[in-house]
Amino acid sequence: MADNLKVQAQAQTAGENINEVGRAYSEKLQTLARGLVSGLYMLIRSVKMYDPENAVFEKPLLQLQDVINQIISKEGRLELVGVKESFYLNNMLVKVDLNSIDNQRYLLGEMRAKDVGGISLTRAITVPELKNFIWIFSKEQTSAAEEDGLAGRKLLNMKVAKFSRLREKMSKDEHEDKNDQKVDRKKYAMTVYARAVFFLTKYLESVQAGKPLNTSRALRLVQDFVDISYEQKTHFLGMTTMKREIDYLVYHQVNVCLMSIVFGQELGLTKPQLRDLGYIALFHDAGMATIPEELSTKRGALSAEEKALIQKAPLISIRNILMEKGFSRSTLLRVVTTFEHKADFGTAVRDAQGDIQMIIPKTNLGAYAKIIAICAAYDALTSKRPYRDAYGPEVALMLMWTEMRNKFDPELLQVFMRVMAIQPVKVLSRRQRSMTLGGL
């Protein structure tokens, strides 16, 4: 999971911005990249219905030729590669909006069905050569293309990267990474994870029965998570990819606990603070166990009554906390954080195009609540639900940074994106390093 995102912590260069989900890039290149992916999608979809010699292809081919040659002129090369659910242009993640995600998935699927993992060029392309490339995906074409295209329709300046070879290389890299893990610590981490899943399962059953168990029994598990995170952060984050759709709420809360601990560690929290944070995160959404399954997995919009029922879930979580014996500062912290993590960080100020230009904070939320809100949203987006497929890590983070940006503290969200990239050095600004937990 963590290797899906590479964040460059570089200084800003003249005329360029630092993309939080990839290499340094200019906005013009990102626009060209989206045009490239969109153009390929339209042509490959059309070739399933029409012969590539049809006049309907003339204008789209000219437009795609112009985009490709602009990229080569600017960059000196063009290398487009499909990695999992995303495209990378010259090692830069191509950002797409929510409405274009299905188109991107279609394009990736069609390319991989023809064993095409990507394309590369270093010289300008012509329309006839582009047409030869599109022929690979025609409905009459049954044979796979080689690196230089189809027999009788060779590619001169474009090279096709075989998906089967890329997949083999990625599988080999993943296998080598696994062999580098310390087996004993890995097994122990998996054991603790399994214990946490078992405890959460029993706890949510008790919540549904109206007799919640005492959560203090989970403190030992959370402390183990804290200790493991200091030694095996990479593997620790990797465990959060374990999900079961039928037990979504259980795995969701355990995964949010794990991610919150690693995130808090990057922010410089002490071990006792990490234990408090992980403890709250482990039960942050327990009230959802009382919501009927048909409502929590419903497709489409909710009615006013259904929304009201969903909004009661955090209050049920708080009620369960207050039902436990004793009331201390720790109890108050759990109550406040459980309530606050559902609140949006601020109000979005958008420009004429609908893009978020500024976030106006609504209230002074606690640090724990802001951390859990980010981790909970990321895990939810990367989990498969009955009403949608799981988003890939890159897409999830991109959505959080764009369309959902007002829900999170933007400075903490930047740090979280870098944490998920497993950067070897701390990436906090001076202001973030000095962040205190006052008022929690």
Side-chain angles (χ1 to χ4, degrees):
M1 176 184 67
D3 289 336
N4 292 335
L5 185 68
K6 301 297 182 185
V7 178
Q8 301 293 333
Q10 299 173 341
Q12 185 168 324
T13 56
E16 291 188 330
N17 298 321
I18 298 300
N19 178 17
E20 293 83 0
V21 288
R23 52 157 269 193
Y25 77 112
S26 69
E27 183 57 37
K28 181 178 180 180
L29 180 59
Q30 186 66 214
T31 301
L32 289 170
R34 287 192 292 267
L36 172 61
V37 172
S38 176
L40 287 172
Y41 163 74
M42 288 189 291
L43 287 169
I44 290 176
R45 185 187 62 176
S46 298
V47 83
K48 302 297 180 182
M49 299 178 286
Y50 306 103
D51 187 289
E53 300 297 337
N54 192 296
V56 72
F57 286 91
E58 289 181 7
K59 186 175 179 180
L61 283 170
L62 286 170
Q63 291 174 336
L64 185 59
Q65 178 197 29
D66 182 59
V67 170
I68 290 174
N69 290 341
Q70 282 190 62
I71 294 172
I72 295 173
S73 175
K74 177 179 176 59
E75 295 276 294
R77 67 188 179 94
L78 183 154
E79 183 177 302
L80 182 72
V81 180
V83 179
K84 296 191 176 180
E85 294 186 21
S86 301
F87 280 105
Y88 284 80
L89 174 63
N90 295 351
N91 297 324
M92 178 190 71
L93 174 66
V94 180
K95 296 169 62 177
V96 296
D97 57 35
L98 189 59
N99 295 328
S100 301
I101 289 175
D102 288 340
N103 295 349
Q104 180 170 274
R105 286 176 174 169
Y106 173 86
L107 178 57
L108 284 166
E110 290 297 321
M111 290 174 62
R112 289 165 182 172
K114 295 294 186 178
D115 198 24
V116 176
I119 57 174
S120 61
L121 302 98
T122 56
R123 296 179 181 177
I125 196 167
T126 62
V127 168
E129 186 171 7
L130 260 181
K131 191 178 295 184
N132 286 345
F133 175 71
I134 299 302
W135 266 105
I136 295 174
F137 306 95
S138 67
K139 57 185 178 182
E140 293 86 5
Q141 186 61 42
T142 57
S143 59
E146 298 301 324
E147 290 186 355
D148 58 352
L150 299 170
R153 298 184 184 276
K154 293 300 182 181
L155 304 174
L156 300 178
N157 295 329
M158 179 186 290
K159 296 296 181 184
V160 174
K162 304 284 281 185
F163 174 65
S164 55
R165 295 177 186 173
L166 291 174
R167 182 173 54 188
E168 182 180 351
K169 184 179 185 302
M170 287 188 290
S171 297
K172 182 180 178 181
D173 291 343
E174 289 178 3
H175 181 70
E176 290 175 351
D177 289 342
K178 290 178 181 178
N179 290 338
D180 291 337
Q181 300 292 337
K182 296 180 179 179
V183 178
D184 290 343
R185 295 302 296 171
K186 179 179 177 180
K187 288 182 177 179
Y188 179 68
M190 293 293 292
T191 299
V192 176
Y193 185 94
R195 288 174 181 169
V197 168
F198 178 81
F199 181 86
L200 254 294
T201 301
K202 295 299 181 183
Y203 177 77
L204 295 183
E205 289 174 355
S206 73
V207 170
Q208 291 171 336
K211 298 179 180 179
L213 298 171
N214 192 314
T215 59
S216 62
R217 293 164 54 187
L219 282 170
R220 180 66 256 176
L221 293 170
V222 176
Q223 187 61 57
D224 286 342
F225 280 150
V226 172
D227 294 337
I228 294 169
S229 72
Y230 274 78
E231 302 173 8
Q232 295 285 330
K233 185 168 76 171
T234 301
H235 176 62
F236 194 65
L237 281 174
M239 288 193 297
T240 63
T241 61
M242 295 186 293
K243 307 173 190 285
R244 290 180 60 191
E245 186 178 356
I246 59 174
D247 296 320
Y248 165 75
L249 189 56
V250 172
Y251 283 83
H252 172 66
Q253 295 194 110
V254 175
N255 290 341
V256 172
C257 172
L258 265 63
M259 283 188 281
S260 296
I261 289 171
V262 173
F263 190 9
Q265 181 185 340
E266 185 70 15
L267 291 170
L269 302 189
T270 64
K271 282 192 173 184
Q273 289 171 333
L274 291 175
R275 189 186 69 166
D276 288 343
L277 173 61
Y279 185 41
I280 298 169
L282 191 60
F283 303 97
H284 75 281
D285 221 6
M288 284 296 295
T290 63
I291 304 299
E293 184 177 357
E294 60 270 18
L295 178 55
S296 62
T297 60
K298 180 181 177 180
R299 298 172 183 265
L302 300 177
S303 66
E305 294 77 14
E306 290 170 335
K307 287 181 180 179
L309 190 58
I310 293 288
Q311 290 169 354
K312 287 181 181 178
L315 300 179
I316 296 172
S317 300
I318 291 171
R319 182 199 64 186
N320 293 340
I321 295 172
L322 295 175
M323 287 173 63
E324 297 180 9
K325 293 181 180 180
F327 190 93
S328 62
R329 179 185 176 277
S330 176
T331 306
L332 178 60
L333 176 59
R334 292 172 62 196
V335 168
V336 172
T337 303
T338 300
F339 181 80
E340 284 188 343
H341 91 276
K342 289 290 188 180
D344 290 350
F345 173 79
T347 301
V349 178
R350 300 177 182 271
D351 60 17
Q353 287 74 40
D355 297 325
I356 296 177
Q357 296 298 308
M358 181 188 303
I359 303 295
I360 302 175
K362 288 183 178 180
T363 184
N364 186 24
L365 300 175
Y368 287 175
K370 292 187 286 188
I371 291 170
I372 292 173
I374 291 172
C375 296
Y378 177 82
D379 186 73
L381 288 170
T382 55
S383 299
K384 184 178 181 181
R385 306 296 288 125
Y387 44 84
R388 63 159 172 80
D389 289 332
Y391 294 121
E394 305 99 325
V395 175
L397 288 172
M398 182 173 61
L399 292 174
M400 291 171 70
W401 185 250
T402 54
E403 299 182 24
M404 301 171 63
R405 191 171 181 177
N406 64 298
K407 295 181 178 295
F408 317 110
D409 184 321
E411 289 190 0
L412 292 186
L413 182 54
Q414 286 185 7
V415 178
F416 178 78
M417 295 167 78
R418 294 167 187 166
V419 168
M420 301 312 291
I422 312 298
Q423 290 292 328
V425 295
K426 284 192 177 291
V427 291
L428 306 185
S429 67
R430 181 174 300 176
R431 177 180 175 185
Q432 290 162 340
R433 289 196 186 103
S434 62
M435 185 187 72
T436 65
L437 298 177
L440 288 178

